[in-house]
Amino acid sequence: MTTTLAGRPLLGGAEIARAVAMVRPYSMVPDASLVELGWQVAAVLAADVPGHFVECGVWRGGASFLMAALLREAGVRDRTVWLCDSFEGLPPPADIDGPSARRYAEERSSPRYRDNCRAGLDDVRESAGRLGLLSHVEFVKGWFDRTLPGLPARVGDVAILRVDADWYASVRTCLEHLYDAVAEGGLVVFDDYYAFEGCAVAVHQFLAERRLPHRLESVVGDGDAWDGYQAAVFRKSPLTWRLMRRRHQAILDIAAAVPAGASLLVVDEQQLALPGLPFPAHEGLYAGPPADDAAAIEALERARAGGAHFLAVAWPAFWWMEFFAGFARHLRATATCIAGTDRVMVFDLRRAL
Ligand SMILES: C[S@@+](CC[C@H](N)C(=O)[O-])C[C@H]1O[C@@H](n2cnc3c(N)ncnc32)[C@H](O)[C@@H]1O
C-alpha cells in the first residue's frame, strides 16, 4: 500500500526498484535512467503537476511500462501513459546525427542494432497485458510527423514527455508538436542527448529558436558508453529537476518519521512548499526568520503550547542551526532528533532527551 500525504501518493525507492525489476526485460534503457524516471513519476505525482505521461520511442515498451506500473502502484486512475512509435523500427539517420549514428546503422550484426529497434505493436500490447498494465496505457502507432500533430488535442496536458527516438528529425518533431502541451512544472527527458549528436543539436536548436531558458540537467549512472552520462532532462519551470527530486525525497524523509495527521512545523524558508505549518508563523503565514535566538525560542514554545508535535528543518534553512545557535541548543535540549539526512532534520517536540 503506497503511503499518501495530504491525499497525494508518495512513491519512494522501494516501489521504484520493484517496478524497474519488472520492466527490465522490455527496455534497453540503463538502470540508472529507469530509476531516475521512477523518481520523476514519483515527484510529479507528489507535486501534483497536471497531465499525462507521453513516451515517443518505446521499442518493447519498458520505460513506458515503468511509468504505468507506478501509476498502478499509486492507485492513480486519471493519468494515462501514451506510447508513440512507428512499431516498425527507426527511420534512417541523417548526416546531422553524427558518426555514432552512422556506425549504429551500418553495424547490423552488433548486439546494439536490435533489428533497427523494431518491436511490433501486437507484441508490445501483449506484454502490457501480461504485466496487467493495459488500463494505464494508450498506443499511438505511426511515424511521428503523422501522429504527433494531432496528439495534444487527444491527450491534453503532459506532465512527463520522454523523448527516446534517437535521431535529429524525430527529436525535433517531438518537440515541435508536444513541447507546448507540457504543463508548467513538467519534465522533458531526452534519452539520446549524450548518445547521438543529432539529438543534442535538435534540443539546443529548438530551445534557442523559441528563446526558452530551460536548463538541461544530466542523468548520470555508473560507467556507460558516455562516461556515465545517460540522459538529459529539463523542467518547464524556473526551478530545476534536481530541486524537485530533493524536495520529494525530503517529504519521504518526513513521512517516514512523522505519523500521518500529526501536527508538524516546517522550517524551509518557503522555498520548498513542504507540507506542514510554516515556522515561525504570523496568522498562519511564514513570518520570516526570527530576529534572534530569544524570538525563535519564544515562537517555538508558543507553537508547542498550541499543540505542535514535530518540527522539520529542511536544507534551505540548515543555516539556522548555526546562526541561531541558542535556539538550536534549546531545541536539542527539549526535543528528540528523530531523523537527520542531508535534506531534513526532524524533531519530536513531545519528548525531551
Ligand atoms: C531506442 S528505441 C526506444 C527505447 C525504449 N524507450 C526502451 O524503453 O527501451 C527508439 C524507438 O523510437 C522509434 N522511432 C524513432 N523515430 C521515430 C519516428 N520518427 N516515428 C515513430 N517512431 C520512431 C523506433 O521505432 C524505436 O522503437
Side-chain angles (χ1 to χ4, degrees):
M1 173 71 188
T2 307
T3 319
T4 63
L5 192 79
R8 291 185 199 155
L10 261 193
L11 298 170
E15 291 87 3
I16 293 168
R18 262 202 313 275
V20 168
M22 186 182 94
V23 307
R24 185 62 281 170
Y26 306 96
S27 182
M28 64 176 83
V29 174
D31 275 5
S33 276
L34 288 178
V35 168
E36 196 74 356
L37 180 61
W39 284 113
Q40 285 157 356
V41 171
V44 154
L45 295 181
D48 209 17
V49 176
H52 300 268
F53 304 152
V54 176
E55 184 172 45
C56 296
V58 307
W59 189 49
R60 291 187 186 152
S64 294
F65 295 164
L66 177 73
M67 296 191 271
L70 291 172
L71 287 182
R72 179 178 61 188
E73 172 75 32
V76 174
R77 308 295 315 176
D78 57 356
R79 301 187 197 240
T80 296
V81 184
W82 293 75
L83 287 74
C84 309
D85 204 291
S86 65
F87 296 103
E88 293 177 24
L90 294 164
D95 285 349
I96 196 169
D97 293 305
S100 57
R102 202 174 319 117
R103 269 197 308 278
Y104 166 83
E106 283 166 6
E107 290 172 4
R108 294 177 174 218
S109 56
S110 154
R112 283 180 61 225
Y113 187 67
R114 297 180 175 97
D115 190 23
N116 196 33
C117 289
R118 200 184 322 270
L121 175 56
D122 289 347
D123 287 347
V124 182
R125 189 183 276 126
E126 196 185 303
S127 303
R130 211 175 314 119
L131 297 174
L133 298 172
L134 276 176
S135 61
H136 296 278
V137 297
E138 286 275 350
F139 297 93
V140 180
K141 178 174 164 47
W143 299 105
F144 295 156
D145 53 356
R146 297 276 179 88
T147 58
L148 300 188
L151 198 64
R154 290 177 69 195
V155 174
D157 281 337
V158 174
I160 298 177
L161 170 60
R162 190 168 192 286
V163 181
D164 192 351
D166 297 36
W167 311 146
Y168 169 88
S170 302
V171 173
R172 273 234 48 149
T173 306
C174 296
L175 284 169
E176 270 157 24
H177 297 295
L178 300 180
Y179 170 84
D180 289 322
V182 177
E184 180 67 24
L187 299 166
V188 184
V189 182
F190 301 97
D191 188 80
D192 302 298
Y193 181 80
Y194 290 100
F196 297 117
E197 291 174 13
C199 173
V201 172
V203 172
H204 290 287
Q205 228 178 40
F206 179 82
L207 293 176
E209 282 170 19
R210 298 273 299 259
R211 300 183 70 165
L212 296 166
H214 307 312
R215 271 58 162 197
L216 282 162
E217 301 173 66
S218 300
V219 176
V220 184
D222 291 330
D224 199 41
W226 308 283
D227 199 23
Y229 288 122
Q230 295 190 339
V233 54
F234 68 69
R235 184 161 179 228
K236 202 167 175 181
S237 159
L239 303 177
T240 61
W241 157 237
R242 178 179 153 80
L243 182 78
M244 189 185 198
R245 189 189 204 279
R246 286 196 89 199
R247 173 190 181 269
H248 179 68
Q249 290 174 321
I251 293 174
L252 289 171
D253 295 339
I254 294 170
V258 175
S263 163
L264 168 72
L265 304 175
V266 169
V267 190
D268 68 357
E269 305 230 302
Q270 279 210 308
Q271 290 187 38
L272 304 174
L274 290 175
L277 307 165
F279 176 83
H282 178 67
E283 295 179 353
L285 298 176
Y286 180 54
D292 52 25
D293 283 321
I297 292 168
E298 198 264 329
L300 176 69
E301 290 312 323
R302 205 166 353 102
R304 193 184 334 229
H309 288 159
F310 295 88
L311 175 99
V313 184
W315 79 92
F318 276 177
W319 64 272
W320 280 40
M321 301 302 278
E322 285 183 23
F323 191 82
F324 298 115
F327 168 73
R329 266 195 309 278
H330 175 83
L331 187 59
R332 290 190 195 283
T334 63
T336 310
C337 183
I338 54 169
T341 68
D342 65 340
R343 300 173 287 259
V344 73
M345 287 179 241
V346 183
F347 295 89
D348 185 341
L349 303 174
R350 298 168 303 178
R351 284 176 281 130
L353 276 174

